[in-house]
């Protein structure tokens, strides 16, 4: 298959060759079909439509189908061998290429992928960032700090992947192991020094980062999410711990842990000599939070003094091992102070002068994270990715603080919940958002679920709040109409938050992804409002950049 038509294919231009004998020795697999001596592999792929000539096709068992069902397609595209389990071998049957069989092939997929691509993470400074919220923002901040220090950087995350200036949209927060190690190999070819990557709990639990040698691992926080995948909160936490536990094959050499919540404090307490980060410091005095309090007061990096906030921008003093430095941010919110402090500490752990990193943060914008949409309106319109109860609560609190600072204005929130995901968080999301003056519950990505049922769960959570603690609640299923209604409601000095999708450019309904970008929809609705309220004349230019 031509390289340019492979889905999200990022590969080294000059691949290495690995003998099939080396593959069998590394994996402990047995060969069902005799292998010609001359067979070598130059890549590995588990997606049949992305296979290139010379690849080893990893036919893995999946939740709904076995990858072995696509072996014929992979072989037709140039796969020189297939790596699978016994069930896969039976499905494949007699084929013209060697079939390598091993129990639980996924267990060695990461190390195998690393070997086929020449262990590229050994030649890169890999920085992994995990946690529930803040991974994306912290990744962008760390990348800026590394680049300011003169490093050539790569970024792998929710919004995009950047390698040597080449941008590729991300299908997964953390790619599967074959794609990940191929990316690393491409980065090495292009002279990249350091890579910042988001590391999801799914990636850690499913082995997507196996074979990666992390120089630094950073932990943001933990709150309810992904309990549709993890059996309970402890299982969720255990997945995150894999990036830090000494007996984990993917444990980072240096751990940087934000201890502002009980989970960070617990993680740091279990590790040997972690770098700890806290924005709350000695302000925590509640005996019930003694563990958090103790970790916070003794943190390696702390906020010293007050946090100054003006017009959505912030400034604070970071106190580290070698003294204090000033950090400025274009991003509002106390949680972004935590993200920024974690980023500075992470850059320092990666060998960057923290003062250099801190200066770089002042100009960073993160797509879909507290992103303002300006069309000349006299109120604030913000798009944010918040789609977890704690994240929504933080964003609402931040915007409330902005209104308090301004001394005027009301807050509207447009929010939905995703289908085929953790159902328990839906009412919690509604309750967190209902503290606004207006909550409009709408559709997010319903996926295969009934959108009305999802909205009903969010509304139910909002209705549970006492009437004195909640604002007006409306339900408008059509997301564009919901956004337009919130903007139409706004007056001078108000704030409208459109939450949940952030940078996403599509809305998934019954298996079909329709074009939909909250930022574009907000901009179009604001333009329509402006046109309606200020009729166009021949002398008036309505274009607002």
């Amino acid at each position: 298959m031509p390289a340019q038509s492979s889905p999200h294919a990022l590969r080294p231009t000059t691949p290495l060759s690995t003998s099939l004998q080396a593959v069998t020795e590394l994996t402990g697999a047995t060969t069902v079909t005799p292998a010609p001596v001359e067979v070598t592999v130059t890549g590995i792929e588990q997606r049949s439509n992305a296979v290139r000539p010379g690849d080893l096709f990893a036919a893995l068992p999946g939740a709904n189908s076995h990858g072995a069902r696509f072996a014929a397609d992979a072989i037709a595209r140039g796969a020189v061998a297939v790596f699978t389990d016994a069930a896969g071998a039976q499905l494949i049957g007699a084929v013209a290429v060697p079939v390598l069989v091993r129990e639980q092939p996924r267990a060695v997929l990461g190390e195998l992928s690393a070997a086929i691509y020449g262990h590229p993470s050994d030649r890169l400074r890999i920085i992994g960032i995990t946690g529930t919220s803040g991974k994306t923002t912290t990744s962008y901040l760390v990348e800026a700090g590394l680049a300011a220090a003169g490093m050539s950087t790569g970024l792998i995350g929710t919004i995009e992947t950047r390698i040597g200036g080449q941008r590729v949209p991300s299908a997964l927060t953390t790619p599967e192991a074959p794609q990940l190690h191929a990316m690393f190999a491409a980065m090495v070819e292009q002279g990249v020094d350091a890579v910042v990557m988001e590391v999801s709990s799914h990636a850690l639990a499913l082995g997507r980062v196996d074979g990666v040698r992390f120089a630094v691992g950073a932990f943001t926080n933990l709150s309810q999410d992904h309990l549709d995948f993890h059996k309970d909160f402890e299982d969720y936490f255990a997945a995150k711990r894999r990036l830090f536990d000494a007996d984990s094959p993917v444990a980072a050499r240096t751990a940087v842990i934000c201890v502002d919540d009980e989970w960070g404090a617990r993680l740091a307490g279990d590790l040997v000599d972690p770098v700890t980060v806290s924005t709350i410091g000695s302000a925590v005095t509640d005996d019930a939070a003694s563990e958090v309090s103790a970790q916070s007061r003794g943190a390696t990096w702390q906020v010293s003094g007050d946090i100054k906030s003006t017009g959505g921008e912030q400034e604070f003093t970071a106190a580290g091992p070698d003294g204090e430095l000033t950090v400025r941010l274009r991003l509002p919110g106390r949680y972004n102070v935590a993200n920024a402090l974690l980023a500075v500490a992470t850059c320092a752990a990666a060998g960057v002068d923290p003062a250099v990193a801190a200066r770089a943060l002042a100009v960073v914008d993160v797509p879909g994270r507290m992103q303002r949409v300006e069309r000349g309106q006299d109120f604030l319109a913000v798009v944010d990715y918040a789609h977890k109860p704690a994240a929504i609560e933080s964003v609402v609190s931040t915007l409330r603080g902005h209104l308090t600072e301004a001394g005027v204005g009301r807050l509207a929130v447009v929010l939905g919940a995703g289908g085929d995901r953790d159902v328990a968080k839906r009412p919690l999301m509604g309750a967190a958002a209902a503290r606004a003056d207006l909550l409009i519950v709408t559709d997010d990505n319903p996926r295969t679920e009934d959108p009305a049922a999802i909205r009903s769960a969010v509304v139910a959570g909002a209705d549970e709040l006492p009437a004195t603690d909640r604002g007006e609640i409306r339900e408008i299923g059509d997301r564009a109409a919901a956004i337009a209604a919130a903007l139409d409601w706004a007056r001078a000095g108000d704030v409208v938050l459109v939450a949940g999708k952030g940078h996403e450019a599509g809305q998934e309904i019954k298996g079909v992804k329709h074009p939909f970008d909250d930022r574009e929809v907000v901009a179009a609705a604001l333009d329509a409002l402006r046109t309606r309220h200020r009729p166009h004349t021949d002398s008036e230019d309505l274009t607002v950049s």
Side-chain angles (χ1 to χ4, degrees):
M1 185 177 187
Q4 62 267 27
S5 60
S6 297
H8 301 171
L10 287 167
R11 299 259 195 122
T13 57
T14 308
L16 301 174
S17 294
T18 304
S19 71
L20 206 60
Q21 180 63 31
V23 171
T24 58
E25 290 174 358
L26 176 65
T27 60
T30 57
T31 306
V32 172
T33 306
V37 175
E38 67 273 12
V39 171
T40 59
V41 299
T42 53
I44 180 170
E45 182 57 69
Q46 92 284 0
R47 305 168 298 177
S48 65
N49 63 341
V51 164
R52 299 185 187 183
D55 277 357
L56 172 68
F57 176 55
L60 308 177
N64 302 312
S65 181
H66 200 296
R69 297 187 182 279
F70 305 95
D73 179 51
I75 294 167
R77 292 171 185 270
V80 295
V82 179
F83 177 54
T84 189
D85 58 7
Q90 283 191 331
L91 287 169
I92 293 168
V95 289
V97 302
V99 177
L100 280 60
V101 179
R102 183 195 191 278
E103 185 179 358
Q104 297 182 336
R106 182 179 283 278
V108 296
L109 185 65
E111 291 292 348
L112 174 59
S113 300
I116 286 173
Y117 289 111
H119 298 284
S121 70
D122 290 347
R123 287 169 282 167
L124 297 164
R125 201 169 309 185
I126 309 290
I127 297 158
I129 300 174
T130 196
T132 302
S133 299
K135 293 189 298 294
T136 298
T137 297
T138 304
S139 295
Y140 273 78
L141 295 172
V142 170
E143 184 202 28
L146 299 176
M151 294 185 186
S152 175
T153 62
L155 177 74
I156 301 173
T158 305
I159 297 175
E160 62 184 347
T161 296
R162 289 201 296 256
I163 300 175
Q166 182 181 11
R167 182 186 185 279
V168 176
S170 299
L172 297 168
T173 300
T174 313
E176 289 279 5
Q179 291 86 56
L180 186 60
H181 290 281
M183 286 180 187
F184 289 153
M187 291 178 185
V188 170
E189 275 192 343
Q190 296 182 34
V192 169
D193 303 308
V195 181
V196 187
M197 61 179 297
E198 298 179 46
V199 184
S200 67
S201 61
H202 290 66
L204 288 160
L206 296 174
R208 290 179 189 158
V209 293
D210 285 1
V212 179
R213 309 296 180 246
F214 288 97
V216 182
F219 178 89
T220 60
N221 51 63
L222 206 71
S223 63
Q224 180 164 339
D225 199 22
H226 302 310
L227 296 188
D228 55 320
F229 176 79
H230 299 285
K231 63 181 180 181
D232 53 32
F233 219 97
E234 285 293 334
D235 184 56
Y236 182 32
F237 180 58
K240 297 292 190 183
R241 285 182 63 108
R242 289 197 75 227
L243 189 58
F244 308 98
D245 280 338
D247 59 353
S248 167
V250 296
R253 291 195 296 273
T254 302
V256 184
I257 312 295
C258 181
V259 294
D260 281 354
D261 69 12
E262 61 176 306
W263 299 98
R266 176 177 161 185
L267 178 60
D270 291 343
L271 301 178
V272 177
D273 198 27
V275 175
T276 53
V277 172
S278 174
T279 66
I280 52 182
S282 59
V284 177
T285 57
D286 186 351
D287 289 341
S290 58
E291 184 181 13
V292 176
S293 177
Q295 289 283 359
S296 300
R297 283 195 292 266
T300 315
W301 288 87
Q302 301 184 47
V303 171
S304 175
D306 295 332
I307 299 168
K308 300 174 184 177
S309 179
T310 306
E313 298 188 358
Q314 302 186 90
E315 179 181 312
F316 66 93
T317 300
D322 299 319
E324 297 185 344
L325 50 89
T326 299
V327 182
R328 296 183 178 88
L329 280 179
R330 290 169 56 88
L331 306 169
R334 180 63 175 260
Y335 57 93
N336 276 321
V337 171
N339 292 335
L341 188 61
L342 182 64
V344 171
T346 300
C347 286
V352 172
D353 182 340
V356 171
R359 286 193 294 271
L361 307 194
V363 296
V364 176
D365 289 312
V366 184
R369 270 58 175 179
M370 294 296 276
Q371 187 171 351
R372 302 181 186 198
V373 181
E374 300 285 354
R375 283 295 188 273
Q377 76 274 14
D378 54 7
F379 58 89
L380 182 62
V382 178
V383 172
D384 193 79
Y385 191 54
H387 59 282
K388 306 152 193 166
I392 294 162
E393 186 175 347
S394 294
V395 174
V396 168
S397 176
T398 293
L399 294 175
R400 277 290 190 203
H402 171 83
L403 292 170
T404 300
E405 175 189 315
V408 65
R410 306 165 300 160
L411 173 64
V413 176
V414 178
L415 177 74
D420 302 333
R421 298 294 187 270
D422 182 4
V423 299
K425 73 179 183 179
R426 294 171 186 173
L428 301 177
M429 292 168 64
R435 296 185 183 276
D437 298 287
L438 170 66
L439 167 61
I440 301 182
V441 177
T442 188
D443 293 343
D444 188 284
N445 292 309
R447 299 186 176 90
T448 65
E449 285 194 62
D450 175 12
I454 300 173
R455 295 195 304 270
S456 178
V458 177
V459 170
D463 284 338
E464 287 182 3
L465 283 183
T468 53
D469 293 340
R470 68 173 189 260
E472 179 187 355
I473 301 171
R474 301 183 197 172
E475 182 180 342
I476 303 175
D478 183 284
R479 192 172 180 90
I483 290 170
L487 298 172
D488 192 48
W489 169 90
R491 301 191 301 248
D494 288 348
V495 176
V496 175
L497 166 67
V498 180
K501 290 173 61 61
H503 64 280
E504 293 179 357
Q507 185 178 35
E508 188 175 342
I509 304 171
K510 297 189 182 304
V512 178
K513 185 167 284 189
H514 304 270
F516 198 104
D517 188 318
D518 281 351
R519 297 163 295 182
E520 294 178 358
V521 173
V522 169
L526 287 171
D527 287 344
L529 266 180
R530 188 169 182 267
T531 302
R532 189 163 74 246
H533 293 166
R534 295 179 57 193
H536 179 67
T537 66
D538 291 340
S539 61
E540 184 180 21
D541 180 7
L542 294 179
T543 302
V544 181
S545 60

